């Protein structure tokens, strides 16, 4: 799997062709106000040689930051948090988009942040992974 990430529809994408388990070089950070909604788009590309599905694991919400995961307009948050969400089978070069929505809570203190990893792994070989990182900071 090759994970990429951007903030919003028009944001610059990072992570293409990078593969690691830490999110290094595949991180997007946003600074925003209390009550704001920040949308990230995580692209999963099959960089392999055969068609397969990919498992997506996303970290949960916190007391001050609500995190939701959507695929094709369907809320897959519970499955993503449990690591049981599987993409449809993707042909080599095909992509699937996961929308990650972070809502900054009304009680989020100034200077606080949430850092969330989205881990993408091959369904046929769980050792093949790529990780992107989302960081949202309260100004």
């Amino acid at each position: 799997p090759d994970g990429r990430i951007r903030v919003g529809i028009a944001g610059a994408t990072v992570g293409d062709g990078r593969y690691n388990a830490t999110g290094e070089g595949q991180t997007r950070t946003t600074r925003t106000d209390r009550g704001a909604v920040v949308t990230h788009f995580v692209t999963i590309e099959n960089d392999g040689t055969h068609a397969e599905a990919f498992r997506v694991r996303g970290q949960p919400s916190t007391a001050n930051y609500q995190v939701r995961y959507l695929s094709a307009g369907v809320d897959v948050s519970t499955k993503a948090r449990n690591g049981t969400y599987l993409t449809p089978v993707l042909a080599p070069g095909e992509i699937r988009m996961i929308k990650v929505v972070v809502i900054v809570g009304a009680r989020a203190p100034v200077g606080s942040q949430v850092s969330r990893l989205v881990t993408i792994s091959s369904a046929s070989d769980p050792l093949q992974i790529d990780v992107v990182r989302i960081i949202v900071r309260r100004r």
Side-chain angles (χ1 to χ4, degrees):
D2 186 13
R4 297 174 291 205
I5 186 169
R6 73 177 186 258
V7 178
I9 295 291
T13 300
V14 295
D16 190 17
R18 295 189 70 120
Y19 311 95
N20 63 59
T22 64
E24 182 179 339
Q26 304 183 109
T27 299
R28 280 294 181 223
T29 301
T30 305
R31 289 172 180 78
T32 193
D33 297 316
R34 180 179 301 160
V37 177
V38 181
T39 302
H40 294 81
F41 292 93
V42 175
T43 303
I44 301 162
E45 182 175 12
N46 181 353
D47 274 2
T49 59
H50 63 281
E52 69 173 305
F54 296 92
R55 186 172 311 281
V56 178
R57 180 177 201 91
Q59 293 179 296
S61 300
T62 68
N64 291 314
Y65 296 87
Q66 180 185 8
V67 183
R68 293 180 49 221
Y69 302 87
L70 299 105
S71 179
V74 176
D75 190 331
V76 296
S77 298
T78 300
K79 287 182 178 183
R81 286 189 299 265
N82 294 333
T84 58
Y85 174 71
L86 284 174
T87 68
V89 173
L90 303 178
E94 191 174 3
I95 64 169
R96 181 69 172 198
M97 188 80 68
I98 304 294
K99 182 177 179 181
V100 183
V101 178
V102 179
I103 302 169
V104 181
R107 296 183 184 183
V110 171
S112 68
Q113 72 176 30
V114 67
S115 175
R116 288 292 172 255
L117 300 177
V118 179
T119 303
I120 305 151
S121 59
S122 164
S124 63
D125 182 358
L127 297 178
Q128 297 297 316
I129 67 169
D130 199 17
V131 175
V132 299
R133 179 185 299 269
I134 295 165
I135 300 172
V136 176
R137 290 188 177 133
R138 160 78 165 88
R139 330 182 231 225

